[in-house]
Amino acid sequence: MATGVAPAPLPHVKVRGGGIGFTKSVDFAKVLSVPGALRTASSRGRALVVWSSSTESDTMELEPASEGSPLLVPRQKYCESIHQTRRRKTRTVMVGNVALGSDHPMRIQTMTTSDTKDVAKTVEEVMRIADKGADFVRITVQGKKEADACFEIKNTLVQKNYNIPLVADIHFAPTVALRVAECFDKIRVNPGNFADRRAQFEKLEYTEDDYEKELEHIEKVKTLFILLLLLQSARTYHVSSYLHAAVISFQVFSPLVEKCKKYGRAMRIGTNHGSLSDRIMSYYGDSPRGMVESALEFARICRNLDFHNFVFSMKASNPVVMVQAYRLLVAEMYNLGWDYPLHLGVTEAGEGEDGRMKSAIGIGTLLMDGLGDTIRVSLTEPPEEEIDPCRRLANLGTQAANLQIGVVPFEEKHRRYFDFQRRSGQLPLQKEVSRKQSFTRSLKRMVPYFLQIALTTG
């Protein structure tokens, strides 16, 4: 068995020409051959040890895709069991006075639709949502006026004995996030437009070597503070566009992280499939991998600043993309040894039966995987109407995890999916018959047709 020290699951690893070929989504420094006791029964009779430049690496087992195959694939894990619903173990994240994580009930939430500057209307909406039984309420905060209104909203709710945690939804406005972090319990940031601008679909050329060099350079710099010094010395030290964007992300995002630490706030790093940055789009494309990498950049900044009170989300309007992104994110977290909770949701699901079915497909699939700690069913209806389908899904997911609903493991023993070898075996033997017997059988089969013709013409 080949082993490696890898910061992320490998989409595929190929042995070729005495070395290994990797896809561009994995950053590896070198590959070594290991003799002696570590040799394995691979096609070349040696073990493959992959060393990563990442400081947050973890050992990954590689195995042949099928018996005798030269293609090595990781034992990629995206849930506790693919045969039973077992809830993924996560840390506890505190959102105000409500605990979120695998040791606690599935939390449900929704979002207000009123103008945040209209304090009275927003307060009334939050109260209706709280009375329906929601655990959190998210409020969009577009600018400074909305941020100032958030203080009035919070104070008014407290005076009315409503202590439901409030979540600020932030886009394009880091200074607004800093302001509202002083009164709200949780801040939602979108990595695609918080520091980088939203994709303008400009074509930025990155070759494989350029991108790998930039990632390797970022990893070699032990602290992001040193990256800032490098940026200031750009006249004498080459700083590429990708490195520049990574530094800007740190400059813009780190003050919010420090503010959340100071006030004990929670954070959601919420990637949206429809709002990836030019930098991510140019290299990863409009893909689940791009969504995951965008979120991991911000998560690493949080971890470097010793902030761990955050959750992830990977939302998309397409349930298939949404499910792929969440599974890929969890596979990454398993390999990194991370245990952050997940917020599940299908964005812009719609209304009526269509919206509910669309959310059920995406959210329900992940709940059966044992993933998810808080959910929102996004409908184009009054926000309190989202609570009932949300609760139904949460109850189904909890019940499935408690009963460990599943299927008997199945192992395919006759097909090799990666080698594409022709299936061997013998065709069933046919009993030989004489020409007379064959003619008699054919005649008997034609009798009903003859009778039908006779009856219709007679």
Side-chain angles (χ1 to χ4, degrees):
M1 182 66 64
T3 61
V5 181
L10 308 178
H12 63 268
V13 182
K14 286 187 178 179
V15 179
R16 61 187 184 197
I20 292 186
F22 301 98
T23 58
K24 60 187 178 184
S25 58
V26 185
D27 177 25
F28 288 96
K30 55 186 175 180
V31 179
L32 302 176
S33 295
V34 180
L38 293 180
R39 288 182 180 176
T40 62
S42 65
S43 59
R44 295 183 179 270
R46 60 187 180 184
L48 300 173
V49 178
V50 183
W51 297 91
S52 169
S53 56
S54 172
T55 57
E56 296 176 310
S57 59
D58 193 14
T59 300
M60 177 186 297
E61 290 187 353
L62 306 178
E63 60 183 358
S66 59
E67 185 177 355
S69 172
L71 177 63
L72 299 178
V73 296
R75 287 186 172 179
Q76 191 167 345
K77 176 181 178 181
Y78 65 84
C79 61
E80 290 297 318
S81 172
I82 61 174
H83 302 115
Q84 288 182 318
T85 300
R86 299 178 185 172
R87 192 171 179 185
R88 169 177 165 264
K89 185 70 175 177
T90 71
R91 68 174 62 220
T92 295
V93 169
M94 294 302 301
V95 184
N97 58 352
V98 178
L100 171 65
S102 61
D103 293 333
H104 310 281
M106 190 80 64
R107 303 301 183 184
I108 58 179
Q109 58 181 284
T110 185
M111 185 174 182
T112 60
T113 57
S114 58
D115 185 352
T116 306
K117 296 190 296 294
D118 189 338
V119 175
K121 190 172 182 180
T122 303
V123 167
E124 181 184 354
E125 200 168 23
V126 171
M127 291 169 59
R128 291 202 312 268
I129 293 169
D131 292 339
K132 285 283 187 176
D135 296 299
F136 312 129
V137 179
R138 181 156 50 109
I139 300 174
T140 184
V141 187
Q142 301 99 324
K144 185 178 182 302
K145 292 181 179 180
E146 287 81 3
D148 292 338
C150 288
F151 286 83
E152 295 185 50
I153 293 170
K154 182 70 173 180
N155 292 334
T156 304
L157 287 169
V158 171
Q159 292 172 6
K160 295 178 179 293
N161 294 322
Y162 281 85
N163 295 313
I164 184 170
L166 301 179
V167 183
D169 194 46
I170 304 293
H171 295 273
F172 307 105
T175 56
V176 172
L178 290 173
R179 171 71 171 154
V180 78
E182 297 177 8
C183 65
F184 275 16
D185 303 284
K186 183 180 176 184
I187 308 297
R188 183 266 171 139
V189 297
N190 183 346
N193 57 37
F194 187 82
D196 292 340
R197 61 178 179 173
R198 184 173 177 174
Q200 303 297 313
F201 302 100
E202 297 179 358
K203 187 175 181 181
L204 305 179
E205 295 293 341
Y206 287 101
T207 65
E208 184 78 19
D209 291 339
D210 290 341
Y211 195 83
E212 292 297 330
K213 286 178 181 177
E214 290 174 4
L215 291 179
E216 183 178 350
H217 185 67
I218 292 173
E219 291 291 346
K220 285 181 179 179
V221 180
K222 296 302 181 182
T223 65
L224 291 175
F225 177 74
I226 297 177
L227 287 178
L228 298 178
L229 298 179
L230 289 176
L231 183 60
Q232 294 172 359
S233 306
R235 291 183 180 180
T236 57
Y237 194 96
H238 173 68
V239 180
S240 64
S241 58
Y242 192 96
L243 177 58
H244 179 273
V247 175
I248 296 300
S249 295
F250 172 73
Q251 288 179 309
V252 174
F253 184 56
S254 59
L256 177 61
V257 176
E258 296 290 359
K259 197 77 171 279
C260 289
K261 287 178 62 178
K262 177 181 177 180
Y263 287 93
R265 308 306 186 196
M267 184 184 296
R268 171 160 70 94
I269 301 175
T271 304
N272 195 303
H273 184 228
S275 58
L276 297 176
S277 66
D278 275 326
R279 179 166 55 95
I280 293 296
M281 287 276 286
S282 296
Y283 191 72
Y284 294 103
D286 189 14
S287 66
R289 168 60 68 179
M291 296 171 64
V292 172
E293 292 298 332
S294 182
L296 291 180
E297 284 184 0
F298 274 52
R300 290 189 177 99
I301 295 175
C302 290
R303 290 175 59 85
N304 287 336
L305 296 174
D306 196 28
F307 177 71
H308 302 277
N309 200 44
F310 64 89
V311 304
F312 284 108
S313 69
M314 298 276 121
K315 292 193 176 184
S317 58
N318 185 333
V320 176
V321 175
M322 171 259 199
V323 169
Q324 290 176 344
Y326 274 103
R327 286 176 172 175
L328 181 58
L329 172 67
V330 175
E332 294 278 5
M333 286 202 284
Y334 272 124
N335 288 317
L336 292 169
W338 295 2
D339 58 354
Y340 299 103
L342 296 175
H343 167 121
L344 303 184
V346 177
T347 189
E348 300 175 357
E351 63 179 352
E353 292 183 352
D354 290 345
R356 286 162 174 78
M357 288 189 291
K358 194 174 180 181
S359 291
I361 291 169
I363 297 173
T365 298
L366 295 171
L367 289 176
M368 292 300 103
D369 287 339
L371 307 180
D373 303 283
T374 177
I375 61 178
R376 182 207 170 189
V377 175
S378 179
L379 301 174
T380 53
E381 300 177 15
E384 58 269 22
E385 298 299 324
E386 297 179 354
I387 303 301
D388 181 63
C390 224
R391 183 178 289 111
R392 288 171 181 265
L393 285 172
N395 291 341
L396 287 173
T398 301
Q399 183 181 15
N402 291 339
L403 300 177
Q404 294 193 353
I405 295 174
V407 296
V408 177
F410 171 78
E411 181 181 359
E412 175 60 71
K413 298 181 179 179
H414 301 289
R415 296 184 181 180
R416 298 180 178 181
Y417 293 103
F418 292 91
D419 291 342
F420 299 103
Q421 296 179 355
R422 185 180 294 276
R423 175 180 281 188
S424 60
Q426 294 182 349
L427 294 174
L429 296 177
Q430 294 184 353
K431 185 178 179 180
E432 295 185 3
V433 295
S434 64
R435 294 180 61 184
K436 182 179 180 180
Q437 290 175 324
S438 177
F439 176 77
T440 303
R441 292 179 180 176
S442 299
L443 188 60
K444 288 181 179 179
R445 286 196 295 267
M446 295 299 294
V447 167
Y449 298 100
F450 293 149
L451 290 175
Q452 185 177 4
I453 294 172
L455 290 174
T456 55
T457 58

